[in-house]
Amino acid sequence: MRVLVIGSGAREHALLLALQRDPEVTGLAVAPGNAGTARIAEQHDVDVTSNDDVVALARAVRADLVVVGPEVPLVLGVADALRAAGIVCFGPSRDAARIEGSKAFAKDVMAAAGVRTAASEIVDTPARLDAALDRFGPPAGDPAWVVKDDRLAAGKGVVVTADREVARAYAASLLEAGHPVLLESFLDGPEVSLFCVVDGRTVVPLLPAQDFKRAGDGDTGPNTGGMGAYAPVPWLPDDVYRDVVANIVEPVAAELVRRGSPFCGLLYAGLAITAKGPAVVEFNCRFGDPETQAVLALLESPLGQLLYAAGSGALAGFGELRWRAGAAVAVVLAAENYPGRPRVGDVVVGSEADGVLHAGTARRDDGAIVSSGGRVLSVVGTGADLSAARANAYDILRSIRLPGSHFRSDIALLASEGKIRV
């Protein structure tokens, strides 16, 4: 089986490494990729927002399976175009991808499926903003306002603040740009990410993970695309895990089938484990980054065969997944000024070590690997438990040099110390 992976980040690097372990995968290609993925797969240029270009490339590399990493091409309908061309694709249709592309659509699906989530309200005009803010946040009894961009925002389109003026200013800026605003009630409790491979009504859950969105230690600083993650989640009880699958993911998958938009791909549930039980923070229509780096480091089942089964409608017969014992911790090394406009073009030393997955990197004409984006690398450590995996990840990080770079030093720390409680 020849597999083409679409995307350029550490998520795609992790997918390629896991696909490489599948004995039925005989060839790997990636587009556009990065300096790290070029070492293990054929590298091709492609405009990921052009469905025609992606289909042409899939034909050119004779792909038996196309795995789409980022959300933008999925929301634009690339999976539909590939399937229309007779190519098996792991990724949802344009209609099903609205579960991430429109938060209002996701809320409607959850309401129809009877899934618990935050109370919410869409604001599409500045005239309604102040009254809506009065219905959420501290005056309404919540500890903070939760303000979200209704459209795709690369994981960074949310502000959570106890300051009304900050909430109002962010909401007003979105409305001025023509973006509808979603106001939500605040969900208490620790958050967890659950990836599920879905084929219509069939749901196969992966290991749960927890990611870290804030730029600084102790969950301080601005929101980012993700600064680290770990798997599994020792503080999440098995009965809660089963409850999420049975009472959140499966009903949502069934509702999408009922609407004539069956989901085929990776359905990512972002959850808050509240005092009243699990509630959905968001759904995404693809593998998350950086959780993928940690989760796939522990997968023993053949990934190519799993994704092909889902893409070809045969997931129900795949069977139970197998996992490596122990834990994995992924820590993101970010460029100076990230999540603002990052400094790029600096030489990265030590980036070819085991456990290092590339994201924002490129290879210069002289052979040097240089930074080319905000999140430059993900370093993945594994071990018998979270403490050992943390130690492994940070040992690798200490061997890498990138001027001005930064990373969080507390990824998985509280969980490894047993300090997170449901």
Side-chain angles (χ1 to χ4, degrees):
M1 171 172 33
R2 289 181 57 81
V3 184
L4 168 63
V5 174
I6 301 298
S8 62
R11 165 185 52 207
E12 286 73 31
H13 198 165
L15 285 164
L16 289 164
L17 288 172
L19 288 164
Q20 193 178 44
R21 299 195 295 267
D22 186 332
E24 288 198 8
V25 174
T26 57
L28 288 171
V30 62
N34 56 50
T37 60
R39 298 170 60 197
I40 57 175
E42 302 168 10
Q43 200 104 326
H44 299 271
D45 288 328
V46 75
D47 177 0
V48 300
T49 66
S50 169
N51 295 343
D52 290 344
D53 288 359
V54 172
V55 170
L57 176 61
R59 285 174 168 155
V61 302
R62 296 175 288 110
D64 301 296
L65 170 67
V66 178
V67 179
V68 184
E71 64 274 20
V72 171
L74 292 168
V75 170
L76 293 176
V78 72
D80 305 87
L82 287 162
R83 293 188 181 107
I87 301 167
V88 176
C89 176
F90 183 77
S93 67
R94 180 174 184 165
D95 279 349
R98 287 186 294 162
I99 200 75
E100 179 173 0
S102 168
K103 295 176 180 65
F105 174 79
K107 290 288 187 182
D108 187 58
V109 169
M110 284 186 274
V115 168
R116 185 167 179 266
T117 185
S120 64
E121 181 176 339
I122 289 286
V123 180
D124 55 10
T125 174
R128 296 179 49 224
L129 178 57
D130 285 308
L133 285 169
D134 290 341
R135 290 188 283 272
F136 293 86
D142 285 338
W145 280 273
V146 180
V147 185
K148 294 183 176 181
D149 189 338
D150 183 55
R151 303 195 299 180
L152 290 178
K156 293 176 281 190
V158 59
V159 164
V160 180
T161 178
D163 188 326
R164 180 190 173 96
E165 289 309 308
V166 172
R168 191 185 190 287
Y170 179 61
S173 70
L174 293 175
L175 292 169
E176 186 177 350
H179 296 200
V181 171
L182 182 77
L183 298 180
E184 284 189 339
S185 59
F186 183 84
L187 293 173
D188 67 318
E191 293 191 9
V192 65
S193 302
L194 181 64
F195 296 168
C196 294
V197 177
V198 177
D199 167 17
R201 294 180 182 270
T202 303
V203 173
V204 176
L206 278 61
L207 289 179
Q210 186 179 46
D211 76 328
F212 297 76
K213 288 293 188 189
R214 298 285 187 173
D217 285 0
D219 289 329
T220 59
N223 250 9
T224 73
M227 293 298 292
Y230 66 87
V233 179
W235 50 264
L236 184 70
D238 286 343
D239 61 332
V240 176
Y241 172 79
R242 291 191 295 270
D243 177 44
V244 168
V245 176
N247 296 314
I248 292 179
V249 182
E250 288 179 349
V252 164
E255 175 61 20
L256 289 170
V257 170
R258 189 191 69 78
R259 293 176 178 227
S261 303
F263 193 98
C264 172
L266 197 289
L267 187 58
Y268 165 157
L271 307 151
I273 311 302
T274 75
K276 296 179 181 179
V280 176
V281 175
E282 65 177 354
F283 275 109
N284 290 334
C285 65
R286 39 72 193 183
F287 280 100
D289 185 336
E291 298 100 320
T292 299
Q293 292 88 293
V295 171
L296 292 188
L298 300 174
L299 180 66
E300 288 191 341
S301 294
L303 182 64
Q305 295 171 54
L306 172 65
L307 303 188
Y308 189 88
S312 58
L315 183 61
F318 187 81
E320 293 287 324
L321 299 184
R322 302 188 310 276
W323 298 95
R324 173 182 174 181
V329 173
V331 183
V332 170
L333 181 72
E336 182 177 344
N337 200 42
Y338 178 80
R341 184 175 182 177
R343 170 175 160 176
V344 298
D346 291 305
V347 173
V348 187
V349 177
S351 65
E352 299 189 10
D354 289 343
V356 179
L357 306 183
H358 288 232
T361 64
R363 191 175 290 276
R364 247 178 13 198
D365 290 344
D366 63 1
I369 291 176
V370 296
S371 59
S372 62
R375 292 189 293 175
V376 181
L377 304 171
S378 284
V379 174
V380 180
T382 57
D385 55 25
L386 282 177
S387 294
R390 269 179 49 81
N392 183 208
Y394 285 107
D395 280 347
I396 298 169
L397 261 174
R398 281 190 282 272
S399 69
I400 299 172
R401 298 288 179 270
L402 173 62
S405 62
H406 62 98
F407 59 87
R408 283 185 59 160
S409 65
D410 63 346
I411 303 301
L413 178 60
L414 294 179
S416 70
E417 295 175 341
K419 293 181 178 178
I420 301 179
R421 296 284 187 272
V422 175

